[in-house]
């Protein structure tokens, strides 16, 4: 690999711009913790071991 | 003996035809013969493994088996804290990470009777999909020397493929179990987020990290998963859901299950042999009676952008001290990826978490109303040459990393269970693989479908010929 030509702030700005576009229409009620709620909202499977 | 499956060896030990000491010694002999070339281990604990095996042998002789893994030799990614052994996390520092208590997953395996052979090589800080490591040596693909074993759980996959260990633990933040499993022709599971405790394992990204098993067969992976899954109060993200039987339901017919094959994104710019492998996997499921449904899925690119923000911000927070105090210790591409996180705003990080929540809810409700599981390729191309993976500027290498992991990262963002299963080899002998992705906490269905693909491909996969 060649000598680093790092550009962390430029990469961060690109990522930030992408997320601002994608998240522009998020509902006010959307919370960061909603992810775990989305996973847990389905029914429990039967035949659990414990 | 190292050609056995984990389940087969466990049965042989339980039946008294093989002793734990014989099993452990056979693995240690094979490691001694071949691992100088494969580079899958960072630490081999021969003395500790034999001591444990002798104790297990004595327990068995008085009719006291510990559990379903009694005497089975395993090894673990060198980011799991194992009492008495250093944990480098693939860095230059031999004991970079430690924890107050042993890694929960390792402790559960030991409680079930497994023996730890040692700690396995990995990409530095688990940051990279190719398995190269400037400090501990590049892990070689057992099927094709000079080619990537995949990463970041490179040693885990290579050791299982080479027959050094019957199974291994890996970690997966963007594909780090499934990518090496696919490259090395073994089975790897990223469980549902929260299903397997991460306590006692080095974090890279709290929101995206998963621990899971790698093994030679679907049955072996299911057996390891059943042992390590379940609530752990030591991990705040650990789910309280009960763990369903997986091994017991492996042979439940898949007839009638609806398997979606995405029409968008997951087939784009994929190598023709990889694409053919995925088609073969889908046909195998159809022959087994599953209903294969082509369907459009939500474009994962905004989600992946969000996950990149989350991963960069969290990893820079976790490893910030190393980054500030000893940046010269880090490989250039690892350092470059970590540094991005220092330049992200809290606002963008929180927006990424909120976006991820919406994506997960919409995906689970929308896609799993139509199908029971999805089938997609694991890697976009077969294991590339190590020289190619490492060549170019840092920017070019980071771009290649993103490209190679583009089919696995969405499932970390969504937190869904994803199993990589071998489905053939290329004309030049490199393994091919597909992912089976299921509903949250529905690992049993994922394993059942994986078993059907494995059977159709003639599995379990034979061992590579080691020089």
């Amino acid at each position: 690999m060649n000598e680093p030509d790092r550009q962390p702030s430029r990469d961060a700005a690109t990522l930030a711009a992408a997320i601002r576009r994608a998240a522009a229409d998020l509902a006010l009620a959307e919370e960061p913790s909603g992810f775990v709620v989305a996973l847990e909202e389905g029914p429990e499977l039967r035949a659990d071991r414990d | 003996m190292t050609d056995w499956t984990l389940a087969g060896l466990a049965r042989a030990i339980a039946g008294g035809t093989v002793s734990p000491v014989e099993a452990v010694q056979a693995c240690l002999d094979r490691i001694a013969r071949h691992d100088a070339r494969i580079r899958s281990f960072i630490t081999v604990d021969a003395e500790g493994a034999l001591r444990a095996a002798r104790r297990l042998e004595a327990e068995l002789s008085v009719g006291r088996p510990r559990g379903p893994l009694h005497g089975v030799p395993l090894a673990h990614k060198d980011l799991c804290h194992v009492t008495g052994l250093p944990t480098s996390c693939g860095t230059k520092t031999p004991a970079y990470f430690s924890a107050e208590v042993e890694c929960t997953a390792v402790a559960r395996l030991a409680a079930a009777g497994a023996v730890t052979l040692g700690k396995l090589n990995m990409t530095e800080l688990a940051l990279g999909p190719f398995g190269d490591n400037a400090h501990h040596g590049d892990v070689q693909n057992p099927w094709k020397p000079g080619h990537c074993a995949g990463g970041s759980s490179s040693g885990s996959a290579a050791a299982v493929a080479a027959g050094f260990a019957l199974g291994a633990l890996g970690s997966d933040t963007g594909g780090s179990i499934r990518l090496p499993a696919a490259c090395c022709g073994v089975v790897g599971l990223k469980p549902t987020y929260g299903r397997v405790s991460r306590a006692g394992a080095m974090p890279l990204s709290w929101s995206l990290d998963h621990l899971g098993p790698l093994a030679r067969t679907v049955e072996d992976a299911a057996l390891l998963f059943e042992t390590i899954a379940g609530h752990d109060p030591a991990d705040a993200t650990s789910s309280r859901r009960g763990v369903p039987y997986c091994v017991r339901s492996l042979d439940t017919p898949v007839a009638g299950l609806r398997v979606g094959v995405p029409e968008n994104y997951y087939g784009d710019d994929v190598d023709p042999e990889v694409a053919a492998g995925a088609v073969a996997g889908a046909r195998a499921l159809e022959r087994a009676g599953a209903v294969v449904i082509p369907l459009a899925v939500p474009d994962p690119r905004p989600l992946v952008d969000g996950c990149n923000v989350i991963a960069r911000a969290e990893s820079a927070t976790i490893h910030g001290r190393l980054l500030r105090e000893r940046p010269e210790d880090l490989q250039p591409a690892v350092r470059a990826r970590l540094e991005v996180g220092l330049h992200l705003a809290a606002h963008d990080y929180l927006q990424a978490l909120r976006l991820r929540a919406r994506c997960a809810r919409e995906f689970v409700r929308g896609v799993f109303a139509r199908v029971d599981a999805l089938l997609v390729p694991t890697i976009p191309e077969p294991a590339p040459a190590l020289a190619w993976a490492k060549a170019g500027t840092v920017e070019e290498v980071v771009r290649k990393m993103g490209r190679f992991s583009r089919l696995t990262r969405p499932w970390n963002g969504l937190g869904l269970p994803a199993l990589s299963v071998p489905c053939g080899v290329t004309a030049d002998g490199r393994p091919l693989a597909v992912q089976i992705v299921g509903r949250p906490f529905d690992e049993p269905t994922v394993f059942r479908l994986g078993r059907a693909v494995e059977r159709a491909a003639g599995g379990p996969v034979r061992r590579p010929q080691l020089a």
Side-chain angles (χ1 to χ4, degrees):
Chain A
M1 194 185 296
N2 299 337
E3 195 56 28
D5 55 350
R6 288 171 283 113
Q7 43 173 5
S9 58
R10 204 172 78 190
D11 289 348
T14 303
L15 278 177
I19 204 68
R20 284 171 196 173
R21 275 194 305 276
D25 63 342
L26 282 171
L28 289 178
E30 195 71 70
E31 292 191 21
S33 58
F35 166 67
V36 171
V37 177
L39 287 187
E40 294 277 1
E41 73 181 5
E44 285 257 0
L45 295 171
R46 293 169 67 183
D48 284 356
R49 289 189 306 136
D50 53 22
Chain B
M1 194 180 305
T2 49
D3 198 39
W4 292 52
T5 65
L6 187 157
L9 180 62
R11 282 191 289 268
I13 290 174
T17 54
V18 175
S19 82
V21 172
E22 286 172 330
V24 166
Q25 191 61 61
C27 288
L28 291 172
D29 290 347
R30 193 166 169 87
I31 292 165
R33 267 203 310 278
H34 298 291
D35 200 45
R37 188 174 63 81
I38 303 290
R39 311 296 289 264
S40 66
F41 276 81
I42 289 178
T43 304
V44 178
D45 183 21
E47 198 181 310
L50 285 168
R51 196 168 50 242
R54 283 192 288 270
R55 197 164 51 238
L56 290 161
E57 199 157 302
E59 290 173 11
L60 201 57
S61 70
V62 293
R64 292 211 321 263
R66 289 194 192 182
L69 303 177
H70 194 96
V72 172
L74 306 177
H76 307 304
K77 188 174 184 177
D78 198 24
L79 52 59
C80 299
H81 174 63
V82 178
T83 306
L85 298 179
T87 304
S88 75
C89 306
T91 69
K92 197 176 176 180
T93 310
Y96 175 69
F97 174 76
S98 67
E100 286 180 10
V101 292
E102 188 161 68
C103 172
T104 297
V106 172
R108 289 182 178 180
L109 291 169
V115 176
T116 297
L117 293 166
K119 309 287 288 295
L120 296 163
N121 203 349
M122 56 182 282
T123 310
E124 185 175 32
L125 294 178
L127 266 168
F130 295 124
D132 55 306
N133 187 305
H135 313 300
H136 302 282
D138 299 339
V139 180
Q140 299 289 319
N141 192 312
W143 291 95
K144 192 94 174 159
H147 285 66
C148 295
S152 64
S153 307
S154 44
S156 303
V160 171
F164 299 155
L166 279 294
L169 285 178
S171 70
D172 193 319
T173 306
S176 284
I177 288 173
R178 293 157 288 155
L179 296 169
C183 287
C184 293
V186 300
V187 176
L189 173 75
K190 181 202 82 63
T192 307
Y193 184 81
R195 183 61 114 174
V196 172
S197 169
R198 297 98 44 95
M202 178 209 83
L204 176 62
S205 168
W206 300 293
S207 300
L208 298 166
D209 289 344
H210 303 66
L211 284 193
L214 295 96
R216 190 175 173 202
T217 69
V218 172
E219 182 186 16
D220 292 353
L223 187 53
L224 293 172
F225 168 76
E226 278 191 358
T227 307
I228 62 176
H231 179 65
D232 177 17
D235 179 350
T237 65
S238 176
S239 173
R240 290 188 172 276
R241 286 192 177 221
V243 181
Y245 288 107
C246 292
V247 176
R248 186 184 289 181
S249 63
L250 271 180
D251 291 321
T252 304
V254 299
L257 286 177
R258 300 163 300 165
V259 179
V261 174
E263 294 171 315
N264 55 316
Y265 185 81
Y266 294 93
D268 298 347
D269 299 321
V270 163
D271 174 274
E273 285 183 287
V274 169
V279 169
R283 290 203 176 129
L285 292 178
E286 258 180 341
R287 284 196 301 275
V291 182
V292 173
I293 303 170
L295 81 171
V297 294
D299 182 352
R301 283 171 292 194
L303 169 70
V304 169
D305 285 337
C307 290
N308 282 336
V309 170
I310 295 166
R312 298 289 193 279
E314 294 184 355
S315 58
T317 305
I318 294 162
H319 301 291
R321 187 170 170 192
L322 173 60
L323 191 56
R324 281 191 310 274
E325 296 179 358
R326 287 175 288 130
E328 69 282 357
D329 280 3
L330 293 163
Q331 292 174 227
V334 172
R335 177 176 165 182
R337 292 179 78 188
L338 278 179
E339 282 179 332
V340 173
L342 300 177
H343 297 267
L344 287 165
H347 167 263
D348 295 317
Y349 172 69
L350 289 167
Q351 285 291 69
L353 288 174
R354 296 173 73 225
L355 177 67
R356 179 202 199 190
R358 182 175 73 182
C359 290
R361 191 174 54 250
E362 289 178 353
F363 194 97
V364 169
R365 289 180 184 171
V367 173
F368 290 118
R370 299 162 64 192
V371 296
D372 300 300
L374 294 164
L375 182 144
V376 297
T378 309
I379 42 179
E381 65 225 29
L386 275 159
W388 173 86
K390 297 194 292 182
T393 64
V394 168
E395 202 177 359
E396 287 165 348
V397 170
V398 170
R399 212 167 23 243
K400 286 184 217 176
M401 290 176 170
R403 232 187 85 76
F404 195 63
S405 58
R406 72 181 188 275
L407 306 178
T408 50
R409 279 183 292 155
W411 314 118
N412 293 73
L414 296 168
L416 300 172
L419 180 77
S420 183
V421 188
C423 66
V425 294
T426 63
D428 67 354
R430 287 174 289 169
L432 298 167
V434 290
Q435 290 176 95
I436 309 288
V437 181
R439 291 188 175 91
F441 301 101
D442 192 8
E443 282 87 0
T445 298
V446 165
F447 280 125
R448 277 166 64 199
L449 289 164
R451 170 90 140 190
V453 170
E454 179 184 63
R455 280 205 169 135
V461 177
R462 63 185 168 82
R463 288 265 183 247
Q465 289 294 317
L466 303 181

